[in-house]
Amino acid sequence: MNIETLISKAAGDAVKALYGMEATEKMLQLQKTRSEFEGNLTLVVFPFVKAAKKSPEQTAQEIGEYLVQNCEAISKFNVVKGFLNLSIGDGAWLQLLQAIDQDDRFGMKQATENSPLVMIEYSSPNTNKPLHLGHVRNNLLGWSLAQIMEANGNKVVKTNIVNDRGIHICKSMLAWLKYGNGETPETSGKKGDHLIGDYYVAFDKHYREEVKELVAQGMDEEKAKQEAPLIKEAHEMLVKWEQNDPEVRALWEKMNNWVYAGFDETYKKMGVAFDKIYYESQTYLKGKAKVEEGLAKGLFERHEDNSVWADLTNEGLDQKLLLRSDGTSVYMTQDIGTAEMRFQDYPIDKMIYVVGNEQNYHFQVLSILLDRLGFKWGKELTHFSYGMVELPNGKMKSREGTVVDADDLMALMVEDAYKTSMELGKFDDMTEEERREIARIVGMGALKYFILKVDARKNMLFNPEESIDFNGNTGPFIQYTYARIRSILRKAVGATSTTSASSTTSLADKEIELIQKMSEFGAAVEQAGKDYSPSGIANYCYELTKVFNQFYHDYSILNEADADKKAIRLMLAKNVAKIIKNGMGLLGIEVPERM
């Protein structure tokens, strides 16, 4: 039981004993005492004034006196208007520190057989281009959310849906056939996803030239876009793909396999993975079948041109196309098919889609349609909607080749971490192999932390230079503090990090502040799970790191002469490091043992 729970229970007992009142959990809210007042925790007494039939000050005074007499953890109190400021005794803080010390997973819950199963979809790449900066934010949010949901005691399945079919895929395939001269990842020395991305850009370049030429010949631009030979050929290729043409399918498989090998490399560098990958080429037919089934049940309607629609006007929305007049599927159909496959594969209790906020309407509609079709989690599906990532020089466009490639970005971050660490002398007395590994950990930590510390719902500006800074609210600042603590603990080998003086040793204010901040980790994990908010964990890790650095600035650990105090400070340091490591782990960030 943490101190807040203990004192909340004692306050409930006090109110019952003094005024005969059963206080609800909501009434017994404790806050951290404001820095200008003495105390550690503050109880707001206004909810009890009516039952007490006394002024707020008198009510607070009575509850305070009761708590000092009946709760060992409370050493003293003071009253400021209707606020009861409670000071926790050193013995209680030391007991809490020892409880934290004995629990390697302090603040995190373990899933049980009966835990709900949460499925989280993230990444959702297209096989016509490599992963870019937008995908980086998506993958990091999805992976971190999965760790946070697990830390809240859920069973989690991490899943990906790969968009491996459609006109955009055919564009890359056609461009490779026309301009590729049989080029492969092996002959070009390029990753497969980069190679295919180049041909997607090449298609657009040649297509624009054809449109320009047709316009110069007097054709209307909109018509020229439809009549350009390249786009016509791409559509013909898509029809052949739908008809299972063996040549088109063989080329499609070969080029997609190049891309998957490239994706795997990128995911590995990024430190993310999946339990199950679905492919739209496998799900779209299931979606069509599910829509036909809904049509037969009267859930949808067929229009004169043979297209199938869902009427959502009763829900305050419009009509939604599910099958085109030629019978081909749309994204919504594919999502229905994917949901069907997932529901067959797993007993899903909660479904979370990590997708950018430009798809908000899509998921509002999907939720209604899945509910109509009888998926138990349809109504409650969660669209974890996040904002776009922009760069100092503006937005990205894949077909124009102006995207920030995920591989290039990660390589740049690691190289910058290497240079910065060399300049600051953090790599002295290390082998080149150690330097490279620490640069990888710091560079990737800087990238991940910079992206995850921002509220996911907001658009963000990513600035690589700002992210690699060993001061301020950055990944490297937290990583460096962890490495510093590990260095202290290595030097203290032989010194005990436990103490038997738990009830007699006095604690300084900054030591108490540090224990209190550590004790809040569980609440931070729980809140991050409720809010789907990796930024909550990032901000907690930063706050804990700041509090430790303030303590370390004022108090010596290794040179403390008093053996009990030294042992307590070593225990403090050891557990701050543990919580930083676990907290950063929830963000997918590694921490180096030395820097």
Side-chain angles (χ1 to χ4, degrees):
M1 188 185 288
N2 63 29
I3 279 185
E4 280 89 346
T5 310
L6 178 78
I7 289 169
S8 181
K9 185 181 180 304
D13 293 343
V15 171
K16 188 173 185 183
L18 292 168
Y19 314 122
M21 177 185 182
E22 291 284 354
T24 63
E25 197 178 315
K26 201 174 178 184
M27 291 176 172
L28 297 163
Q29 290 296 312
L30 291 163
Q31 306 162 359
K32 213 170 177 179
T33 303
R34 284 164 55 179
S35 55
E36 61 265 37
F37 302 118
E38 187 186 2
N40 306 112
L41 291 167
T42 296
L43 179 72
V44 182
V45 302
F46 294 110
F48 320 121
V49 168
K50 195 174 175 186
K53 296 175 183 163
K54 289 173 185 159
S55 70
E57 289 84 352
Q58 283 176 298
T59 308
Q61 185 69 30
E62 284 183 358
I63 295 172
E65 285 168 4
Y66 180 96
L67 289 172
V68 168
Q69 286 168 11
N70 294 279
C71 180
E72 281 182 16
I74 296 169
S75 57
K76 53 185 175 177
F77 72 93
N78 66 81
V79 174
V80 180
K81 297 184 179 169
F83 298 92
L84 173 59
N85 301 321
L86 302 165
S87 295
I88 314 299
D90 289 351
W93 287 121
L94 284 163
Q95 279 179 356
L96 176 57
L97 175 59
Q98 287 183 323
I100 293 169
D101 185 59
Q102 285 158 18
D103 184 357
D104 288 341
R105 284 177 51 83
F106 171 76
M108 301 192 289
K109 294 175 187 151
Q110 197 79 42
T112 66
E113 211 177 296
N114 300 320
S115 294
L117 177 72
V118 179
M119 181 176 275
I120 301 175
E121 177 196 292
Y122 57 98
S123 199
S124 314
N126 294 334
T127 56
N128 63 321
K129 57 191 174 187
L131 303 177
H132 56 62
L133 177 54
H135 289 116
V136 172
R137 189 179 198 190
N138 180 297
N139 279 283
L140 297 183
L141 285 168
W143 177 263
S144 178
L145 187 60
Q147 309 314 305
I148 290 165
M149 296 309 282
E150 273 187 0
N152 276 286
N154 297 287
K155 288 184 281 193
V156 173
V157 174
K158 300 181 288 292
T159 184
N160 185 358
I161 173 72
V162 178
N163 184 356
D164 63 342
R165 62 174 288 279
I167 189 68
H168 49 296
I169 313 294
C170 292
K171 286 176 182 178
S172 296
M173 288 162 62
L174 186 61
W176 183 82
L177 277 178
K178 284 183 172 294
Y179 320 117
N181 298 315
E183 188 179 29
T184 69
E186 290 73 30
T187 62
S188 65
K190 290 178 183 174
K191 281 175 80 238
D193 50 334
H194 289 244
L195 181 69
I196 302 307
D198 289 347
Y199 285 103
Y200 184 61
V201 173
F203 177 93
D204 194 62
K205 180 176 161 247
H206 288 280
Y207 170 58
R208 281 163 180 254
E209 284 167 8
E210 288 185 350
V211 170
K212 199 174 169 185
E213 206 173 302
L214 289 171
V215 170
Q217 289 167 16
M219 193 181 281
D220 168 74
E221 190 179 350
E222 279 311 305
K223 194 176 182 194
K225 283 180 179 175
Q226 293 164 14
E227 294 297 324
L230 263 179
I231 199 72
K232 281 186 158 183
E233 277 189 79
H235 278 289
E236 282 165 20
M237 185 179 264
L238 179 60
V239 170
K240 283 182 180 176
W241 184 92
E242 295 253 354
Q243 291 166 345
N244 272 319
D245 179 280
E247 274 184 40
V248 171
R249 284 285 178 141
L251 175 64
W252 170 75
E253 270 189 33
K254 176 167 77 174
M255 291 176 71
N256 272 355
N257 284 333
W258 292 346
V259 174
Y260 299 143
F263 283 170
D264 287 347
E265 219 177 293
T266 307
Y267 288 138
K268 194 176 176 185
K269 278 184 200 161
M270 209 183 288
V272 304
F274 310 93
D275 301 306
K276 178 83 175 178
I277 297 180
Y278 292 89
Y279 300 90
E280 288 193 8
S281 56
Q282 297 165 355
T283 68
Y284 83 106
L285 290 174
K286 283 216 175 254
K288 286 169 79 168
K290 202 72 190 164
V291 168
E292 295 286 357
E293 187 186 305
L295 189 64
K297 289 178 180 172
L299 302 174
F300 310 130
E301 55 193 47
R302 195 183 291 281
H303 286 192
E304 279 179 22
D305 65 354
N306 205 40
S307 59
V308 178
W309 296 73
D311 185 354
L312 306 174
T313 48
N314 284 348
E315 277 87 0
L317 303 173
D318 54 11
Q319 297 216 344
K320 182 69 189 173
L321 175 69
L322 300 179
L323 288 175
R324 297 187 188 96
S325 54
D326 61 4
T328 55
S329 63
V330 294
Y331 273 121
M332 189 63 72
T333 329
Q334 289 156 200
D335 271 348
I336 291 168
T338 310
E340 165 87 342
M341 284 181 83
R342 287 172 175 162
F343 197 67
Q344 287 167 355
D345 292 344
Y346 298 95
I348 302 167
D349 295 299
K350 181 88 185 161
M351 183 73 216
I352 302 173
Y353 293 87
V354 180
V355 182
N357 56 16
E358 76 279 12
Q359 295 291 336
N360 285 354
Y361 178 74
H362 176 89
F363 284 98
Q364 193 184 352
V365 171
L366 181 63
S367 175
I368 294 166
L369 296 180
L370 291 179
D371 183 56
R372 274 193 198 178
L373 288 164
F375 293 94
K376 65 169 181 171
W377 43 265
K379 217 167 205 168
E380 276 81 45
L381 79 77
T382 297
H383 173 206
F384 177 44
S385 169
Y386 63 88
M388 296 296 100
V389 190
E390 292 183 10
L391 294 154
N393 59 357
K395 290 187 178 179
M396 308 177 291
K397 290 178 183 169
S398 349
R399 64 179 174 274
E400 292 170 24
T402 59
V403 299
V404 175
D405 183 85
D407 293 311
D408 293 346
L409 177 63
M410 290 189 287
L412 171 75
M413 296 298 294
V414 172
E415 201 48 47
D416 282 359
Y418 184 89
K419 284 179 192 164
T420 306
S421 299
M422 284 293 273
E423 284 163 14
L424 295 171
K426 293 189 185 296
F427 280 167
D428 297 349
D429 75 345
M430 284 188 196
T431 65
E432 184 59 17
E433 195 182 345
E434 279 182 297
R435 289 171 182 168
R436 289 290 167 193
E437 176 60 4
I438 289 170
R440 181 193 67 78
I441 291 171
V442 173
M444 289 306 298
L447 170 65
K448 292 179 179 187
Y449 188 85
F450 196 91
I451 284 175
L452 292 173
K453 73 177 181 179
V454 178
D455 179 348
R457 290 163 299 192
K458 294 178 179 171
N459 287 350
M460 68 172 289
L461 190 71
F462 179 72
N463 188 331
E465 287 166 26
E466 278 179 30
S467 66
I468 295 184
D469 189 338
F470 287 88
N471 298 298
N473 189 4
T474 66
F477 170 66
I478 297 167
Q479 289 172 318
Y480 180 63
T481 299
Y482 175 85
R484 173 193 265 176
I485 295 172
R486 297 298 296 160
S487 171
I488 292 165
L489 295 173
R490 282 193 295 274
K491 287 173 187 168
V493 169
T496 178
S497 64
T498 57
T499 177
S500 56
S502 59
S503 56
T504 56
T505 309
S506 63
L507 291 171
D509 286 349
K510 290 211 167 144
E511 291 171 323
I512 289 171
E513 189 185 358
L514 196 48
I515 298 169
Q516 188 167 6
K517 181 49 77 175
M518 281 194 279
S519 76
E520 293 166 11
F521 182 51
V525 172
E526 194 175 320
Q527 199 57 49
K530 282 178 184 166
D531 299 342
Y532 305 129
S533 173
S535 63
I537 299 294
N539 293 328
Y540 171 83
C541 289
Y542 175 57
E543 291 299 325
L544 177 62
T545 304
K546 275 200 306 184
V547 173
F548 175 82
N549 282 314
Q550 287 160 4
F551 151 76
Y552 187 63
H553 178 269
D554 292 356
Y555 296 95
S556 173
I557 296 177
L558 295 174
N559 297 325
E560 173 54 57
D562 183 304
D564 276 347
K565 284 188 176 177
K566 182 175 180 177
I568 287 167
R569 286 176 193 169
L570 282 169
M571 194 194 276
L572 278 169
K574 177 183 143 192
N575 285 285
V576 167
K578 174 178 80 183
I579 292 172
I580 286 175
K581 185 174 187 175
N582 289 344
M584 294 291 265
L586 296 179
L587 303 174
I589 298 174
E590 298 169 76
V591 282
E593 289 298 306
R594 56 185 297 219
M595 266 170 91

